[in-house]
Structures are given as structure tokens and as C-alpha cells.
Amino acid sequence: MNTLKKAFATFALAGSVAGVSAPAMARDTISIVGSSTVYPFATVVAERFGTKTDFRTPKLESTGSGGGMKLFCQGIGTQHPDITNASRRMKASEFDLCQKNGVADITEFRIGSDGIVIASSKEAENLELTLEQLFLALGAKVPVNGEWVVNPNKNWSDVDASLPNKPIRVMGPPPTSGTRDSFNELALAAGCDALPEAKGLNEDQHKTICESVREDGAFIEAGENDNLIVQKLIGDTGMYGVFGYSFLEENVDRLQAATLNGMTPTAEAIASDDYPVARSLFFYVKKAHVGVIPGMQDFVSEFTSNAAMGRNGYLKDVGLIVPPRDQLMNLMDKAETMPNLTKEELM
């Protein structure tokens, strides 16, 4: 008897001992939480899955990668999600939380690539930025005369005279978002590392300074709905937005992307890791729920199928930068065997 079935049996026994009937715990719909970046891709798979199989269409919630991990790792049982999406890899601390709460067996699927873009309305003045300039615009602290001080830069031109003489206003995801984690690590920290002053920082100082976004109103947190950022940019030519490349592709007729270190975000540049803020996308499966929640194995097989993620797959049509064929074959094998993720893989 697996852990989930044991939990059901224990619950039912407790109900009978108390002299009341246990409420129905069965759930016939897959529950998925996590990344707002992966959400549109998972939604397309879920809709196809609900249409072409006898199983119900899975229920999806966009909670952010960090929020999804927290929910996913809370425990085993139908009150907890079955799958979580993430726009960055599970952290070792999250793996430990899962283990602590009995979520012992987890399978990881890397489903493709995405890039983080700095976008604006096509009516706005487009930006040509280095990662160093981006950090000097958005970092909580920046060096002035060799000292790290609260960011004094108000306008883009305060960072560099070649940039627009208008206020720094950037809308982006909250700390619970995997996009925010990736932005901090891949964009801000890389820009910070380009500064000579960063060489004198120890590990803790580097984390605190180089991966912290300013909180004085220049960076505006927009929640987990990237579409809200898109709508704001369309109506405000002084605003710039941080989100995944797929949202840029969906709105290419209305939005443009800044260059970063001279690179324009394209599917080819992201897939080859030439674009400096490219990242991998994932989903994680709670194995104790497979075979108990109807359709989980079939859903995973659909997500990793050639029809979904092949060179001409439907996820490529909606903006996912799909994995090469050898990686896709490995994903298909994983969908069959569901190997356990280990903490060593995350270190």
C-alpha cells in the first residue's frame, strides 16, 4: 500500500472511531500549481489532454514557482497538489521540505527553455542595455565612489548618458516567482559581477547586494499574472516589464524587447544559450499520487510526447523553446520509468 493509500485508510479509520463518516477524499482531477511562465504551456497540454482522453481536464493555478513548491511539498493526500511547474530548478531546501513532509518520491522533468526579456510598448523608446547597466538601474544598492549605497539613480540617463532621460520604471514578478529568482540570479547578479567593486564581496554580501531589487518604487511588483504586465506596457510608454519570452512572442505585434549585452531575444539565441538571460523550465511530479489520482501518468506522457514537444509540436507553436530530439527521448523514458530525483542532483 503506498503512502497516499495509507493516508486515506488512516483518515477513514479515524472517522469511524469518532463515530462519524469520513468525508469523501477521492479526487478525479489532477491538481497543478506553480510557475506563471510554465502555466500557459501546461494549460495547452491540459486542454488537449481533457479533449483527447477520458480523463477530466486538470486544474491549474498560477502560484509562482516558489509558491508552487511550498504547496507541493506540504504533504501527501488529495488536499495537496499532484504536480508543480517551475521556471527554475527545485532548490535543495525545497527538496528537504518535501522530504520532511513525507513527499519522498519526486520525478523532475526539464521541458525546454525560456528567456527573460525587458519589454516595452512598440510606441516606447526601446532600450539597449548591458547587464551592468540593468543592475545599476534596478539593484537595491550600487557602488558610488567605491562605497555600496542605496541606489540613487532616478532616470535611465543617470545610469548612462546614452540611455533615455526618463524615470526608471520597471514592472516585474514578485519574490515568489521563479522568473524573479532567475532574473535576480541571471541578470542582476551577472550585471553586479561586471563591476570591479563586486570582487570585494564575500558570499553572503554578494547574495544580499547583487541579487536584491530596489524597493523605492522604481521596480513595481505585479503579482503572478504576466498578462497584467503586458496590458500595463501597452497603455504606458514610460513603463518597462520583466517576463518570459513566450509572452513577448504572444504580443509581438504590440511589444518590443530591449537588447541585453547586444543580444536580441530570439528562440534560436535562447536555445543556444547565447542570450544572456536564458533559463530552463521544469515540472515536478509527486509519485505517491500516480495511480491514485486518475490520469497522472497519461498527462505526463502527453506533456512529454512528440506531438507536444517535438520539432513541430503544438507547444512550439505557442512559444516553448522545445528540447532537442535526444533530450526529448530522455523525457519520454522518464515519463515511463519516473526515476526519483535526488538531493545530490540539486547541489
Side-chain angles (χ1 to χ4, degrees), residues 46-59:
E47 289 171 350
R48 296 276 185 128
F49 177 75
T51 300
K52 68 189 288 188
T53 72
D54 293 330
F55 300 108
R56 295 174 65 88
T57 301
K59 175 189 173 186

Side-chain angles (χ1 to χ4, degrees), residues 35 51 85 89 108 115 162 172 196 245 247 285 315:
S35 165
T51 300
N85 300 320
R89 201 171 196 191
E108 175 187 78
S162 66
Y245 173 77
F247 285 91
V285 175
L315 289 180

Side-chain angles (χ1 to χ4, degrees), residues 33-35 63-73 81 83-85 176:
V33 295
S35 165
T63 64
S65 296
M69 290 291 182
K70 190 175 293 186
L71 292 167
F72 180 82
C73 290
I83 295 171
T84 190
N85 300 320
T176 54

Side-chain angles (χ1 to χ4, degrees), residues 191-257:
C192 179
D193 288 341
L195 299 168
E197 292 84 354
K199 293 179 174 58
L201 299 174
N202 63 37
E203 186 175 344
D204 289 340
Q205 290 171 328
H206 184 276
K207 180 77 174 176
T208 300
I209 291 174
C210 293
E211 297 184 31
S212 294
V213 180
R214 62 195 297 179
E215 298 179 351
D216 58 356
F219 185 88
I220 303 152
E221 292 181 3
E224 295 291 355
N225 188 343
D226 292 342
N227 283 311
L228 293 179
I229 303 178
V230 171
Q231 294 305 315
K232 183 66 175 177
L233 298 184
I234 292 168
D236 186 343
T237 59
M239 183 74 75
Y240 296 85
V242 175
F243 46 73
Y245 173 77
S246 62
F247 285 91
L248 175 68
E249 261 209 336
E250 288 177 14
N251 297 277
V252 70
D253 57 327
R254 301 182 290 176
L255 299 180
Q256 60 187 347

